[in-house]
Amino acid sequence: MRHFVALLFLPISVPATAQIGPTVVEARSAGQVGERFDGYLGFAVPPSPGLRQQVNAINIKRRSLYSSLASQRGVAPGDGGIAAGCTLLARVAIGEAYQLGDNKWYRRSAGQSAPQPDYCRP
């Protein structure tokens, strides 16, 4: 799986903050919203209705992107999301929340390297 994920989106850059508004940026900084291993944003704590709506809109855009890219490469959209998750998890800043495949939420602390599942490493 490791080599598959590495090659799936090698030349593709996943926009992390370009699609995220200020409310979501603040929620990420506060550890309320974080990157998930599957390439989508998730909620580390129960969100307000407005925040839920904004995150859902971002995830719909991401799903469309992953589906399009996966179709071009002849793979399942879920595999595209997993591959994108490797890139997005590598961008998690100190204090931000993230979720790996165990479905537990973590916060990146100072001195901790960016979270990466084993299959993301070359």
Side-chain angles (χ1 to χ4, degrees):
M1 170 118 178
R2 184 181 325 197
H3 298 292
F4 170 75
V5 171
L7 295 174
L8 185 61
F9 287 110
L10 189 60
I12 303 300
S13 173
V14 179
T17 56
Q19 59 185 335
I20 298 177
T23 301
V24 177
V25 170
E26 289 172 15
R28 284 181 60 141
S29 295
Q32 299 169 335
V33 171
E35 292 294 345
R36 294 172 34 108
F37 69 97
D38 59 2
Y40 295 97
L41 288 173
F43 304 104
V45 298
S48 68
L51 180 59
R52 179 178 297 280
Q53 183 179 16
Q54 290 179 38
V55 168
N56 287 344
I58 291 167
N59 283 339
I60 287 168
K61 290 177 186 174
R62 287 184 178 189
R63 183 175 297 120
S64 176
L65 173 65
Y66 302 157
S67 293
S68 175
L69 293 173
S71 176
Q72 292 172 13
R73 287 166 172 75
V75 299
D79 293 335
I82 296 280
C86 292
T87 300
L88 294 166
L89 284 169
R91 297 178 185 169
V92 170
I94 293 171
E96 290 185 347
Y98 62 93
Q99 187 184 68
L100 301 177
D102 62 5
N103 291 321
K104 294 179 185 175
W105 284 100
Y106 303 93
R107 284 185 82 165
R108 184 171 175 203
S109 57
Q112 178 187 15
S113 59
Q116 287 288 288
D118 289 338
Y119 56 81
C120 293
R121 297 181 187 110

